[in-house]
Amino acid sequence: MVVAVEFSAVSRHYGVGDKVVKAVDDVTISVAEGEFFSMLGPSGSGKTTCLRLIAGFEQPSLGSIKIFGKEAAGTPPYEREVNTVFQDYALFPHMNVLDNVAYGLHVKGVAKPEALKRAEQALEQVALAEYGKRRPGELSGGQRQRVALARALVNQPRVLLLDEPLGALDLKLREQMQLELKTLHKKLGITFIYVTHDQGEALSMSDRVAVFNRGRIEQVDSPRNLYSLPKTSFVADFVGTSNIIGSELAQQITDSNQPFSIRPEHINIYDNQKNVMKVTGEVADIQYHGATSKVEVAVNSQLLAMVLSNTENTEAQLPKIGQKLTLCWPQSRMVML
Amino acid sequence: MLYKIKQSNIKMRFKSKANNDQSPTWLKTLAYGGLVFLHFPIVFILINAFVAHDGNNTYLTLKWFSAAFAREDVMSAIALSLKVASVATLLALVMGTMAAAALYRRNFFGKEAITTMLILPIALPGIITGIALLSAMNILKIDPGFWTIVVSHATFCVVMIYNNVVARFRRMPHSLVEASMDLGADGFMTFRRIILPQLATALLAGALLAFALSFDELIVTIFTAGHEITLPIWLLNQLARPRDAAITNVVAMMVMLITAIPIIAAHYLTRGTESIAGSGK
Amino acid sequence: MQYATSLLPTTSNPVLRWLSNTLYRKNNLFLFLLLTPPLLWFGVVYLGSLFALLWQSFYTFDSFSMSVSNDLTLDNYRALFDATNLDIILRTLSMAITVTLACACIAFPIAYYMTRYGSRAERGFFYIAVMLPMWASYIVKTYAWTVILSQEGILYWGINHLGLSSALNHVLQLPAVGGNTLATSNLGRFMVFTYIWLPFMILPIQAALERVPTNLLQASADLGARPAQTFRKVLFPLVFPGVVAGSIFTFSLTLGDYIIPQLIGPSGLFIGTMVYTMQGSIGNMPLAAAFTVVPIVLIFIYLALAKRAGAFDAL
């Protein structure tokens, strides 16, 4: 396996003295060549700073960043074999679409006819061949996004960095672009590093996901493992929804004060099943979500959420607010935190 | 003069909503009366430039123009003012842009002091700037002349450029610069191919305003000009020669035009640039 | 592996590339290089001159030999409080205050009309119509007024035709206001000052009016206030900082001017003309320098007052 990008104990600090902000705090990761790697986290968690460190817009305060085995610190962005798709697309407003895409080739000294030819091909690849003469301001958000993609890819980067590229698009378009990006990744075989705060996006597209929180990495894993085997309560909570059971309630349910998490869809209504954990509470709220209904059950003062299918249950069969309800779940589904 | 700076990059920020209310007549009269007051001396000068008296007859003519252009003192004053304004604008362009590039994004200790210092020559009454420069010239035994005028003008023109350019820099998403470098352009290439085209209209607008400011400057110039006669100084001297009034009127009109045209041009150049600069969401 | 041969930049001049890399890595060096020329210019040329001026205000002027010596003294500052000099300061100050008040009174209706009642096109027209005279040549405007105010001028012509010449004569005989003719009276000087600085008052007021949300006025009307009450209780307090902002300009510009007092009005000196005469024909640079401190101090006092009125947010 060739390592494309490697972070060794990288930190990025801003400010001095008491007011130091640790945007990235002791991060170690390695991204394999050809991988679709996502950095997931809430805003301000350090994921974008990590991307900017790879691109070369920022320099690490501590630690080392290697791109294909070569130390990257001190190398300016224009000498790195990576390209970026910006969150705001950053298309040059004074150039038309074709010149935007050809820009990277121009500045690297590719002859003009050749550069324009390759730029046209790149535009074709993103289905915008007819838009070359337009100005970026005349395109829709989705079209700008594709131009930004073409502009980066025409340089044949070994690593493509994507900074929340779909953040400004509406839901339908976003889902369509997710699919296209994934297809593109398979076709090109290069490394994609994808920053997002949308856990659904990260799970559906990536080979591996790094979950960021407050400048640190909480967990790096495959989407499946992140969801089913979260290592920290932050991951359990941020990736999908989880019921986090603190030590007090855990003591009451399991006779051990080890906190754990349990996904709402793994909770059932107790019906004499064998080998299950169970707890009784009072139904506090029922929310209708189309295919499913979410039932919130108050146990002591904590709310546990469970999901019931609306196709299997009629409205009359659903529990009522105020009703006592005993919940259960298989022990194997509990994730110890 | 300070407010001219302020105005130099303020757009017409009008409410989009139309005003439907009927205005009281007295208010409308006062408002338009005010406009008449503001324009009547200017119109007066414009008309006077074309009027000749011949005995009891008054008629329109262009003869004062040819008379003015034939005067060597007029032409040399115009030439000097154009030269001073051009060189001062050029110097101000370089320094104002450098200062703007250094100050628009970064925060550091002393930044406030630097911006205050840039505004000072235009915030203090001109007489103070003028006499201060003169006293320094006296101490250093520098003879006043073309270059002292240029230096004094460039000093108060810098802020004109700075203000326009810094405003444009702030509206330009920094991601454009990053994108250019990301795509392989080094600092110089990024400056030439991305930053400069983005700044172009702001630079031009700032330069036009600086030019107009310098071309028309009198208060500071009197102290730094020595025996040189710029166009405003020529006009001032003319006030002691009432018999020459016809020529003075023509020159006054030309001064007005030479300053008004750049002002209007600059105004249109900086209008609605917000929507051009941001290409993202 | 089809993309393994990435493009690396090759074209740029190696010297420039080296420089670019160095500046990229040493961000502070880049900042330093950018700031050095303007800082040198302003620090040395401009601030240096100001200090030279200030320093000279402590020199000694020997009125006997009409020469300046380097002996340091406070006499020049003491001289500011002589009766004649104090007179000059008070004369200038009172003119600055009167002009400011007049500008505010004339500017407000113009600004109010254009923002509240003007159609979109009308507002654009007003804006340009105010901006152009502001930028029009100072000396040309002043020159125009010397012609207009002269005894053969259009103003006298109009007044005579309206049969108001005796009324004008009465006005010109008033103490403080009058003079022999309009062009040599304080009234004339006041008119020119008001004219020249008026646009500097209109635009800040207009900006302040633009910032008042229309629904505040509607809310006031909705709560039962009559238009006059809405104006007094809601609109004016909100616009007042704009008026103060404009007054900063009219006040300090009048205070520092030395061309208009030379050309129009009675013979009594202004601060500006005093400075000009002292350094020019008399050669008493130390006293001239001390005199320049007066407008600076007055302006700073005024700015401090204006800041308390919230004028800086209205700029």
Side-chain angles (χ1 to χ4, degrees), chain B residues 131-145:
Chain B
I131 200 170
L133 289 170
L134 178 66
S135 70
M137 280 152 55
N138 285 344
I139 290 172
L140 300 173
K141 307 256 184 299
I142 299 172
D143 284 330

Side-chain angles (χ1 to χ4, degrees), chain A residues 55 57 76-80 82-86 89-92 95 99-109 147-157 160, chain B residues 175-186 189-190 194, chain C residues 7-9 17:
Chain A
F57 306 140
Y78 45 85
E79 291 185 347
R80 297 185 182 210
V82 301
N83 284 113
T84 308
V85 176
F86 289 82
Y89 315 136
L91 300 180
F92 307 127
M95 298 179 187
D99 288 339
N100 258 286
V101 178
Y103 181 82
L105 300 172
H106 274 314
V107 297
K108 288 183 200 107
V147 175
L149 198 58
R151 188 178 68 174
L153 288 175
V154 78
N155 300 287
Q156 307 184 343
L160 183 69
Chain B
S175 59
L176 293 185
V177 174
E178 289 176 350
S180 169
M181 293 201 161
D182 184 73
L183 293 166
D186 64 18
M189 228 181 294
T190 300
I194 305 299
Chain C
L7 291 162
L8 271 181
R17 175 54 66 105

Side-chain angles (χ1 to χ4, degrees), chain B residues 44-46 48-50 235 244-254, chain C residues 143 147:
Chain B
F44 177 78
I45 287 288
L46 293 184
N48 263 351
F50 295 98
L235 274 169
D244 222 9
I247 306 282
T248 315
N249 286 331
V250 169
V251 177
M253 193 195 109
M254 288 193 298
Chain C
Y143 163 69
V147 180

Side-chain angles (χ1 to χ4, degrees), chain A residues 20-73:
Chain A
V20 168
V21 179
K22 293 181 176 175
V24 172
D25 189 6
D26 194 23
V27 163
T28 299
I29 32 177
S30 87
V31 180
E33 182 169 36
E35 198 173 13
F36 196 125
F37 187 87
S38 285
M39 303 195 196
L40 174 68
S43 63
S45 60
K47 57 192 192 308
T48 296
T49 310
C50 274
L51 197 79
R52 294 170 58 80
L53 285 166
I54 303 171
F57 306 140
E58 313 224 2
Q59 303 293 337
S61 313
L62 294 169
S64 102
I65 298 171
K66 287 191 175 139
I67 301 176
F68 289 103
K70 213 172 76 190
E71 179 59 48

Side-chain angles (χ1 to χ4, degrees), chain B residues 57-162:
Chain B
N57 292 327
T58 303
Y59 57 95
L60 295 177
T61 177
L62 290 175
K63 72 173 178 184
W64 303 129
F65 284 85
S66 48
F69 285 125
R71 287 267 297 259
E72 209 176 294
D73 56 337
V74 174
M75 295 319 283
S76 73
I78 292 181
L80 177 64
S81 277
L82 288 176
K83 251 187 349 205
V84 167
S86 311
V87 180
T89 302
L90 217 61
L91 279 170
L93 264 178
V94 175
M95 281 188 297
T97 312
M98 287 176 111
L103 299 178
Y104 85 103
R105 231 166 80 85
R106 305 206 20 181
N107 255 321
F108 52 87
F109 178 74
K111 182 175 157 173
E112 281 288 301
I114 295 174
T115 44
T116 309
M117 193 166 74
L118 293 179
I119 298 172
L120 214 53
I122 219 143
L124 289 178
I127 189 168
I128 293 170
T129 305
I131 200 170
L133 289 170
L134 178 66
S135 70
M137 280 152 55
N138 285 344
I139 290 172
L140 300 173
K141 307 256 184 299
I142 299 172
D143 284 330
F146 176 76
W147 285 105
T148 54
I149 311 178
V150 166
V151 166
S152 63
H153 284 202
T155 304
F156 58 72
C157 284
V158 167
V159 69
M160 224 61 197
I161 312 281
Y162 170 81

